[in-house]
């Protein structure tokens, strides 16, 4: 719980993928008592209840919620505004899992696809609608997260997404930004999407410590900047760099993006600005969730409303601004208090 200029081609491609929302003058009361902006969304409310019960243990922000959001990203990002790659947010990663789970970047996703597949089969949704509804529901279970949009009516996927479309922790910043640009995202939107690492965890970077989180409490943008002290598991692994906190993993790519001149200030600006982080993440996710999917219906009012973030952001115990590896020179680093007590250890998710 993130190109300065988009070309006309990107604008056209994004416009073509926008949801078909009629000018509604009144809301609809469904037979089950729920109220929605569109009658086509009424049948989703019992499906939301089923997904909460069968996939998220009644509404928890646990491993399944984290993995559902990751699955949605890996499904949708296999898209190019220049044509070719795959169908974007179409659920291909769920039904063509025999192919897509062999991709190196999709390591560790087999557990969530296996967990979701039987629930998906019982809902009657298309794969794309299920994957992206589950991601929105799971994220809604996490305090401090934005209430993600959900757009309904995706057609079944026609083919697997191609390999090498998901950025990896070992990629350079240039390669990561280029891949995002190819999918229609600016550097600011790429950084915003990395807000997802506040509720994410690593399973395969170091397979000896699955479920290792990337931050301690919804403050990945701060903790990635702190001076590294240790590796959380079996020494240095490909794709990670030294972490500041025991039990926490710092991805090589996150740290590189936080230090790169093209993205350092975008990264720093997210610190202790929950409204900026949530609004930009929601906006970028709304764009991601409709890649390649035109004429969808806005059913966002079926998504649970997250609990607010307790805040404010603070330095973890034993840390201060002296531990920050500041890379943004254009704006001052925010003034933060420090949590009292001994240095923390972050538990696995």
């Amino acid at each position: 719980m993130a190109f300065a200029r988009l070309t006309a081609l990107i604008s056209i491609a994004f416009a073509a993928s926008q949801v078909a929302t009629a000018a509604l003058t009144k809301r609809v009361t469904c037979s089950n008592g729920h109220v929605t902006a569109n009658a086509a969304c009424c049948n989703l409310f019992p499906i939301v209840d089923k997904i909460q019960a069968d996939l998220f243990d009644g509404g928890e922000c646990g491993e399944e919620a984290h993995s559902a959001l990751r699955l949605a990203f890996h499904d949708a990002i296999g898209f190019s505004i220049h044509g070719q790659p795959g169908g974007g947010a179409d659920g291909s990663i769920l039904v063509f899992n025999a192919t897509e789970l062999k991709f190196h970047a999709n390591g560790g996703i087999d557990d969530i696809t296996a967990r979701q597949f039987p629930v998906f089969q019982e809902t009657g949704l298309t794969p794309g609608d299920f994957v992206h509804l589950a991601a929105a529901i799971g994220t809604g279970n996490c305090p401090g997260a934005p209430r993600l949009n959900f757009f309904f009516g995706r057609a079944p996927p026609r083919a697997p997404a191609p390999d090498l479309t998901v950025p990896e922790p070992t990629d350079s910043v240039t390669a990561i930004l280029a891949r995002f640009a190819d999918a229609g995202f600016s550097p600011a939107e790429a950084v915003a999407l990395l807000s997802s690492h506040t509720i994410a965890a690593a399973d395969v970077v170091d397979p000896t410590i699955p479920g290792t989180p990337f931050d301690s409490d919804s403050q990945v943008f701060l903790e990635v900047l702190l001076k590294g002290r240790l590796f959380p598991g079996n020494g240095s692994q490909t794709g990670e760099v030294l972490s500041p906190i025991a039990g926490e993993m710092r991805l090589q790519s996150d740290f590189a993006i936080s230090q790169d001149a093209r993205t350092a200030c975008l990264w720093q600006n997210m610190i202790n600005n929950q409204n900026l982080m949530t609004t930009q993440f929601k906006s970028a996710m709304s764009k991601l969730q409709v890649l390649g999917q035109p004429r969808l219906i806005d059913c966002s009012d079926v998504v649970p409303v997250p609990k607010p973030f307790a805040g404010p952001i603070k330095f973890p115990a034993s840390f201060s601004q002296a531990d920050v590896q500041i890379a943004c020179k254009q704006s001052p680093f925010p003034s933060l208090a420090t949590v009292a007590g001994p240095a923390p250890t972050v538990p696995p998710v």
Side-chain angles (χ1 to χ4, degrees):
M1 58 319 195
F3 336 123
R5 305 182 302 275
L6 291 181
T7 64
L9 177 59
I10 295 176
S11 300
I12 293 169
F14 182 45
S17 71
Q18 292 308 283
V19 297
T21 51
L24 301 174
T25 57
K26 61 180 181 180
R27 297 177 64 77
V28 176
T29 300
C30 307
S31 60
N32 52 27
H34 290 285
V35 179
T36 177
N38 195 307
C41 308
C42 285
N43 290 336
L44 293 176
F45 287 103
I47 293 175
V48 170
D49 292 340
K50 179 175 181 59
I51 291 173
Q52 286 281 46
D54 295 353
L55 191 60
F56 300 128
D57 299 319
E60 292 187 2
C61 179
E63 174 65 13
E64 288 80 9
H66 309 156
S67 297
L69 183 58
R70 183 186 179 205
L71 189 69
F73 173 77
H74 283 235
D75 176 60
I77 198 64
F79 177 82
S80 173
I81 60 172
H82 302 104
Q84 297 190 3
D90 61 359
S92 65
I93 198 167
L94 188 63
V95 295
F96 294 109
N97 56 75
T99 297
E100 295 194 33
L101 292 183
K102 293 178 182 177
F103 302 163
H104 185 267
N106 289 339
I109 284 183
D110 53 335
D111 286 345
I112 191 61
T113 55
R115 185 91 167 80
Q116 285 193 5
F117 199 82
V119 183
F120 151 68
Q121 289 182 306
E122 295 176 359
T123 63
L125 296 177
T126 63
D129 281 345
F130 181 87
V131 166
H132 294 280
L133 177 59
I137 295 170
T139 303
N141 293 335
C142 298
R147 187 189 194 191
L148 296 183
N149 292 325
F150 173 67
F151 307 111
F152 177 57
R154 294 166 181 80
R158 297 181 179 181
D163 198 359
L164 305 178
T165 56
V166 180
E168 299 207 50
T170 53
D171 290 344
S172 68
V173 176
T174 296
I176 291 170
L177 295 183
R179 175 75 274 272
F180 274 105
D182 183 48
F185 293 90
S186 69
E189 290 169 322
V191 171
L193 286 171
L194 291 173
S195 301
S196 63
H197 285 183
T198 64
I199 60 168
D203 289 322
V204 297
V205 174
D206 185 340
T208 68
I209 48 168
T212 303
F214 299 131
D215 73 350
S216 61
D217 186 17
S218 298
Q219 50 187 32
V220 68
F221 290 107
L222 170 61
E223 291 177 11
V224 163
L225 291 176
L226 299 178
K227 293 176 182 177
R229 299 178 175 181
L230 48 82
F231 292 107
N234 189 25
S236 175
Q237 304 293 319
T238 301
E240 72 171 328
V241 294
L242 286 168
S243 169
I245 300 174
E248 178 178 296
M249 180 174 289
R250 178 155 55 189
L251 294 179
Q252 175 183 318
S253 53
D254 281 358
F255 183 66
I257 290 170
S258 78
Q259 299 295 301
D260 191 276
R262 293 164 290 184
T263 47
C265 289
L266 296 170
W267 189 280
Q268 180 178 294
N269 290 343
M270 295 288 194
I271 298 172
N272 206 29
N273 194 335
Q274 189 73 9
N275 182 63
L276 178 68
M277 185 171 72
T278 56
T279 55
Q280 291 199 3
F281 177 61
K282 179 175 181 173
S283 176
M285 278 297 298
S286 294
K287 185 172 175 178
L288 180 83
Q289 290 175 305
V290 298
L291 288 178
Q293 305 297 314
R295 299 181 299 279
L296 301 180
I297 299 167
D298 189 348
C299 288
S300 300
D301 47 20
V302 309
V303 177
V305 178
K307 295 178 181 178
F309 175 62
I313 295 295
K314 296 181 179 181
F315 286 111
S318 80
F319 288 87
S320 70
Q321 188 159 330
D323 298 296
V324 179
Q325 299 168 105
I326 296 176
C328 174
K329 308 300 182 184
Q330 294 92 318
S331 58
F333 193 84
S335 178
L336 305 174
T338 297
V339 175
T345 296
V346 183
V349 297

